[in-house]
Protein backbone atom coordinates (compact mmCIF):
# COMPACT_ATOMS: atom_id res chain seq x y z
CA UNK A 1 0.00 0.00 0.00
CA UNK A 2 2.76 2.44 1.03
CA UNK A 3 4.70 1.47 -2.07
CA UNK A 4 1.71 2.29 -4.28
CA UNK A 5 1.21 5.68 -2.59
CA UNK A 6 4.90 6.49 -3.00
CA UNK A 7 4.75 5.57 -6.68
CA UNK A 8 1.71 7.80 -7.15
CA UNK A 9 3.43 10.75 -5.47
CA UNK A 10 6.53 10.27 -7.61
CA UNK A 11 4.37 10.14 -10.74
CA UNK A 12 2.69 13.42 -9.80
CA UNK A 13 6.05 15.07 -9.06
CA UNK A 14 7.39 13.84 -12.39
CA UNK A 15 4.39 15.30 -14.20
CA UNK A 16 4.82 18.64 -12.45
CA UNK A 17 8.50 18.68 -13.26
CA UNK A 18 7.81 17.86 -16.91
CA UNK A 19 5.20 20.61 -16.95
CA UNK A 20 7.81 23.13 -15.73
CA UNK A 21 10.54 21.93 -18.07
CA UNK A 22 8.20 22.02 -21.03
CA UNK A 23 7.32 25.69 -20.69
CA UNK A 24 10.76 26.87 -19.53
CA UNK A 25 12.40 25.39 -22.60
CA UNK A 26 10.66 27.97 -24.78
CA UNK A 27 12.73 30.79 -23.32
CA UNK A 28 15.11 32.02 -26.02
CA UNK A 29 18.77 31.59 -25.05
CA UNK A 30 22.03 32.75 -26.69
CA UNK A 31 22.62 29.09 -27.60
CA UNK A 32 19.42 29.25 -29.69
CA UNK A 33 20.20 32.52 -31.50
CA UNK A 34 23.64 34.09 -31.59
CA UNK A 35 23.64 37.61 -30.19
CA UNK A 36 20.15 37.50 -28.68
CA UNK A 37 19.44 39.59 -25.58
CA UNK A 38 16.47 38.95 -23.32
CA UNK A 39 14.87 42.14 -21.98
CA UNK A 40 11.93 40.68 -20.00
CA UNK A 41 10.70 37.23 -18.97
CA UNK A 42 7.47 36.67 -17.06
CA UNK A 43 5.15 33.78 -16.28
CA UNK A 44 1.38 34.06 -15.89
CA UNK A 45 -0.92 31.34 -14.58
CA UNK A 46 -4.64 30.94 -15.16
CA UNK A 47 -5.54 33.32 -12.32
CA UNK A 48 -3.09 35.97 -13.60
CA UNK A 49 -3.74 35.90 -17.35
CA UNK A 50 -5.98 38.97 -17.24
CA UNK A 51 -2.96 40.96 -16.04
CA UNK A 52 -1.19 40.13 -19.29
CA UNK A 53 -3.95 40.14 -21.90
CA UNK A 54 -6.74 42.17 -20.35
CA UNK A 55 -9.89 41.57 -22.34
CA UNK A 56 -8.63 38.45 -24.11
CA UNK A 57 -7.98 35.90 -21.39
CA UNK A 58 -11.33 34.09 -21.34
CA UNK A 59 -10.98 32.40 -24.72
CA UNK A 60 -7.63 30.91 -23.68
CA UNK A 61 -9.21 29.61 -20.48
CA UNK A 62 -12.04 28.07 -22.52
CA UNK A 63 -9.47 26.06 -24.47
CA UNK A 64 -7.68 24.78 -21.36
CA UNK A 65 -4.98 27.33 -20.58
CA UNK A 66 -2.41 26.47 -17.90
CA UNK A 67 0.22 29.21 -18.06
CA UNK A 68 2.20 31.36 -20.47
CA UNK A 69 5.87 32.22 -20.77
CA UNK A 70 5.96 35.85 -21.96
CA UNK A 71 9.25 37.33 -23.06
CA UNK A 72 10.71 40.17 -25.07
CA UNK A 73 14.05 39.88 -26.80
CA UNK A 74 16.38 42.08 -28.80
CA UNK A 75 17.97 40.46 -31.84
CA UNK A 76 19.44 41.71 -35.07
CA UNK A 77 18.51 45.29 -34.13
CA UNK A 78 14.81 44.49 -33.59
CA UNK A 79 12.56 43.75 -30.62
CA UNK A 80 10.27 40.71 -30.57
CA UNK A 81 7.49 39.57 -28.24
CA UNK A 82 7.39 35.80 -27.81
CA UNK A 83 4.53 34.05 -26.02
CA UNK A 84 4.45 30.32 -25.34
CA UNK A 85 0.98 29.39 -24.11
CA UNK A 86 0.86 26.02 -22.41
CA UNK A 87 -2.53 24.38 -22.76
CA UNK A 88 -3.82 21.25 -21.05
CA UNK A 89 -3.40 19.16 -24.19
CA UNK A 90 -2.64 19.42 -27.94
CA UNK A 91 -6.36 19.76 -28.64
CA UNK A 92 -6.37 23.05 -26.71
CA UNK A 93 -3.24 24.41 -28.39
CA UNK A 94 -4.52 23.53 -31.86
CA UNK A 95 -7.94 24.93 -31.02
CA UNK A 96 -6.66 28.34 -29.93
CA UNK A 97 -4.32 28.42 -32.95
CA UNK A 98 -7.19 27.60 -35.30
CA UNK A 99 -9.29 30.46 -33.93
CA UNK A 100 -6.58 33.13 -33.70
CA UNK A 101 -4.69 32.56 -36.94
CA UNK A 102 -5.44 35.14 -39.64
CA UNK A 103 -4.39 35.79 -43.23
CA UNK A 104 -1.71 33.10 -43.38
CA UNK A 105 0.74 33.72 -46.20
CA UNK A 106 2.57 30.42 -45.77
CA UNK A 107 3.43 27.65 -43.36
CA UNK A 108 6.87 27.22 -41.81
CA UNK A 109 9.28 24.36 -42.51
CA UNK A 110 6.44 22.28 -44.00
CA UNK A 111 4.73 22.32 -40.60
CA UNK A 112 0.99 22.32 -41.28
CA UNK A 113 0.16 23.73 -37.85
CA UNK A 114 1.98 27.01 -38.44
CA UNK A 115 1.00 30.37 -39.89
CA UNK A 116 3.15 33.20 -41.17
CA UNK A 117 1.13 36.40 -41.62
CA UNK A 118 2.29 39.90 -42.35
CA UNK A 119 2.73 40.78 -38.68
CA UNK A 120 2.97 37.53 -36.70
CA UNK A 121 4.25 33.97 -36.66
CA UNK A 122 2.01 31.37 -34.99
CA UNK A 123 2.75 27.71 -34.41
CA UNK A 124 1.53 24.62 -32.55
CA UNK A 125 4.16 22.44 -30.86
CA UNK A 126 2.42 19.68 -28.92
CA UNK A 127 0.40 21.37 -26.18
CA UNK A 128 2.10 24.75 -26.78
CA UNK A 129 0.62 27.59 -28.82
CA UNK A 130 3.54 29.81 -29.85
CA UNK A 131 3.30 33.41 -31.04
CA UNK A 132 6.23 35.56 -32.24
CA UNK A 133 5.50 39.22 -33.01
CA UNK A 134 8.05 41.80 -34.26
CA UNK A 135 7.64 45.14 -32.49
CA UNK A 136 10.14 47.55 -34.04
CA UNK A 137 8.36 48.23 -37.33
CA UNK A 138 11.47 47.56 -39.40
CA UNK A 139 11.12 46.11 -42.89
CA UNK A 140 11.93 42.40 -43.05
CA UNK A 141 11.39 41.75 -39.33
CA UNK A 142 8.80 39.07 -40.02
CA UNK A 143 11.51 36.95 -41.65
CA UNK A 144 13.56 37.22 -38.45
CA UNK A 145 10.45 36.26 -36.46
CA UNK A 146 10.20 33.15 -38.62
CA UNK A 147 13.81 32.26 -37.77
CA UNK A 148 13.01 32.62 -34.05
CA UNK A 149 9.95 30.38 -34.32
CA UNK A 150 11.89 27.74 -36.27
CA UNK A 151 14.65 27.76 -33.63
CA UNK A 152 12.13 27.17 -30.83
CA UNK A 153 10.42 24.47 -32.87
CA UNK A 154 13.70 22.62 -33.45
CA UNK A 155 14.62 22.97 -29.79
CA UNK A 156 11.36 21.55 -28.45
CA UNK A 157 9.87 19.21 -31.03
CA UNK A 158 11.56 16.05 -29.74
CA UNK A 159 9.97 16.33 -26.29
CA UNK A 160 6.60 17.67 -27.47
CA UNK A 161 3.41 15.67 -27.29
CA UNK A 162 2.13 14.56 -30.70
CA UNK A 163 0.10 17.24 -32.43
CA UNK A 164 -3.60 16.58 -32.82
CA UNK A 165 -5.06 15.24 -36.06
CA UNK A 166 -8.28 16.48 -37.57
CA UNK A 167 -11.13 13.93 -37.63
CA UNK A 168 -10.95 11.18 -40.23
CA UNK A 169 -14.37 12.22 -41.52
CA UNK A 170 -12.94 15.59 -42.58
CA UNK A 171 -9.75 14.07 -43.96
CA UNK A 172 -11.93 11.99 -46.28
CA UNK A 173 -13.37 15.27 -47.56
CA UNK A 174 -9.83 16.55 -48.21
CA UNK A 175 -9.96 19.12 -45.41
CA UNK A 176 -6.60 20.68 -44.52
CA UNK A 177 -5.32 21.44 -41.02
CA UNK A 178 -4.63 25.08 -41.87
CA UNK A 179 -8.18 25.51 -43.17
CA UNK A 180 -9.86 23.86 -40.16
CA UNK A 181 -11.21 25.44 -36.98
CA UNK A 182 -11.88 23.65 -33.71
CA UNK A 183 -14.69 25.14 -31.62
CA UNK A 184 -14.97 24.07 -27.98
CA UNK A 185 -17.35 26.63 -26.51
CA UNK A 186 -19.20 29.91 -26.79
CA UNK A 187 -16.17 32.20 -27.09
CA UNK A 188 -14.57 29.98 -29.68
CA UNK A 189 -17.86 30.01 -31.58
CA UNK A 190 -18.17 33.81 -31.39
CA UNK A 191 -14.61 34.29 -32.66
CA UNK A 192 -14.32 31.40 -35.10
CA UNK A 193 -17.80 30.57 -36.40
CA UNK A 194 -20.38 33.16 -35.32
CA UNK A 195 -22.76 31.95 -38.05
CA UNK A 196 -23.18 28.69 -36.06
CA UNK A 197 -23.83 30.38 -32.72
CA UNK A 198 -27.63 30.26 -32.97
CA UNK A 199 -27.72 26.53 -33.77
CA UNK A 200 -25.45 25.73 -30.80
CA UNK A 201 -27.06 28.13 -28.34
CA UNK A 202 -27.25 26.59 -24.86
CA UNK A 203 -25.06 23.59 -25.78
CA UNK A 204 -21.82 22.75 -23.97
CA UNK A 205 -19.16 20.03 -23.94
CA UNK A 206 -18.92 19.52 -27.68
CA UNK A 207 -16.11 19.43 -30.24
CA UNK A 208 -17.04 21.19 -33.48
CA UNK A 209 -14.59 20.99 -36.37
CA UNK A 210 -15.31 23.23 -39.35
CA UNK A 211 -13.50 23.36 -42.67
CA UNK A 212 -14.14 24.72 -46.16
CA UNK A 213 -13.65 21.92 -48.68
CA UNK A 214 -14.04 21.29 -52.39
CA UNK A 215 -16.94 18.94 -53.04
CA UNK A 216 -18.13 18.05 -56.53
CA UNK A 217 -16.31 21.07 -57.93
CA UNK A 218 -17.74 23.55 -55.43
CA UNK A 219 -16.42 25.18 -52.28
CA UNK A 220 -18.62 24.07 -49.41
CA UNK A 221 -18.58 24.11 -45.61
CA UNK A 222 -17.95 20.78 -43.88
CA UNK A 223 -18.66 20.22 -40.20
CA UNK A 224 -17.87 17.33 -37.88
CA UNK A 225 -19.17 17.46 -34.32
CA UNK A 226 -18.99 15.19 -31.31
CA UNK A 227 -21.43 15.65 -28.42
CA UNK A 228 -21.94 14.13 -24.99
CA UNK A 229 -25.57 13.20 -25.65
CA UNK A 230 -27.92 12.31 -28.47
CA UNK A 231 -30.28 15.11 -27.41
CA UNK A 232 -27.59 17.77 -27.87
CA UNK A 233 -26.65 16.35 -31.26
CA UNK A 234 -30.25 16.43 -32.44
CA UNK A 235 -30.73 20.01 -31.21
CA UNK A 236 -27.64 21.23 -33.09
CA UNK A 237 -28.64 19.31 -36.22
CA UNK A 238 -32.10 20.86 -36.17
CA UNK A 239 -30.63 24.34 -35.73
CA UNK A 240 -28.21 23.91 -38.63
CA UNK A 241 -30.97 22.52 -40.83
CA UNK A 242 -32.95 25.70 -40.22
CA UNK A 243 -30.03 27.80 -41.48
CA UNK A 244 -28.46 25.67 -44.22
CA UNK A 245 -29.11 23.06 -46.85
CA UNK A 246 -27.69 20.03 -45.07
CA UNK A 247 -26.20 16.97 -46.70
CA UNK A 248 -25.49 14.37 -44.06
CA UNK A 249 -22.33 12.35 -44.65
CA UNK A 250 -22.33 10.20 -41.51
CA UNK A 251 -24.02 9.98 -38.12
CA UNK A 252 -23.94 8.13 -34.80
CA UNK A 253 -25.93 8.81 -31.63
CA UNK A 254 -23.48 11.52 -30.56
CA UNK A 255 -21.65 12.53 -33.76
CA UNK A 256 -22.40 13.88 -37.21
CA UNK A 257 -20.53 14.90 -40.34
CA UNK A 258 -22.33 17.41 -42.53
CA UNK A 259 -21.91 19.38 -45.72
CA UNK A 260 -23.59 22.78 -45.44
CA UNK A 261 -24.56 25.20 -48.18
CA UNK A 262 -26.67 28.36 -48.28
CA UNK A 263 -30.40 27.97 -48.67
Amino acid sequence: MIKNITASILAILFQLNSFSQNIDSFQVQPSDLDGVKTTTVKFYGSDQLWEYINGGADIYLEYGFNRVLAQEIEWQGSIFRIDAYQMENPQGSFGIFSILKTQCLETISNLNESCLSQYQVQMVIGNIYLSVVPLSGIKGEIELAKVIAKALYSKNIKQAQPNISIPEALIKLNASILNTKLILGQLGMQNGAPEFEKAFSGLTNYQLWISDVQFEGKKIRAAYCKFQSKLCKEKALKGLSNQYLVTQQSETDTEFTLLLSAK
Side-chain angles (χ1 to χ4, degrees), residues 13 17 54 94 108 130 142 208 238:
L13 290 174
N17 188 47
N54 185 23
F94 173 77
I108 302 168
L130 178 69
I142 194 66
L208 172 62
K238 181 179 179 181

Side-chain angles (χ1 to χ4, degrees), residues 35-207:
V36 71
K37 179 182 177 182
T38 299
T39 56
T40 62
V41 176
K42 294 183 180 180
F43 293 88
Y44 298 90
S46 57
D47 57 344
Q48 304 161 321
L49 189 57
W50 278 92
E51 298 175 21
Y52 184 51
I53 49 172
N54 185 23
D58 282 348
I59 191 168
Y60 286 90
L61 296 171
E62 182 175 80
Y63 278 82
F65 170 82
N66 281 326
R67 64 175 181 158
V68 59
L69 166 60
Q71 56 189 313
E72 284 193 9
I73 65 169
E74 294 180 11
W75 187 56
Q76 300 287 323
S78 295
I79 299 173
F80 300 87
R81 185 177 72 241
I82 305 168
D83 296 317
Y85 290 88
Q86 185 177 51
M87 313 302 284
E88 290 178 358
N89 50 50
Q91 176 178 286
S93 59
F94 173 77
I96 201 71
F97 165 81
S98 74
I99 296 301
L100 297 183
K101 69 181 190 300
T102 56
Q103 298 179 334
C104 300
L105 303 175
E106 61 179 86
T107 58
I108 302 168
S109 300
N110 297 317
L111 176 66
N112 289 330
E113 292 171 332
S114 65
C115 173
L116 175 68
S117 67
Q118 187 175 358
Y119 304 107
Q120 183 182 21
V121 178
Q122 298 162 285
M123 185 179 291
V124 178
I125 308 173
N127 65 324
I128 300 295
Y129 163 64
L130 178 69
S131 167
V132 183
V133 179
L135 300 177
S136 300
I138 300 173
K139 185 177 181 180
E141 278 184 317
I142 194 66
E143 290 300 317
L144 294 176
K146 183 165 69 170
V147 173
I148 295 168
K150 288 173 67 175
L152 289 173
Y153 172 79
S154 299
K155 178 182 178 180
N156 289 281
I157 186 58
K158 289 183 179 180
Q159 64 214 45
Q161 302 177 51
N163 286 352
I164 196 166
S165 298
I166 63 177
E168 183 66 27
L170 292 184
I171 293 175
K172 290 179 179 178
L173 293 169
N174 297 315
S176 68
I177 287 178
L178 199 58
N179 195 32
T180 299
K181 294 180 179 180
L182 172 58
I183 312 296
L184 297 179
Q186 183 179 4
L187 293 175
M189 188 75 76
Q190 290 173 355
N191 286 270
E195 66 276 15
F196 284 11
E197 190 173 3
K198 184 177 180 180
F200 281 75
S201 177
L203 300 180
T204 59
N205 298 318
Y206 57 81
Q207 295 179 25

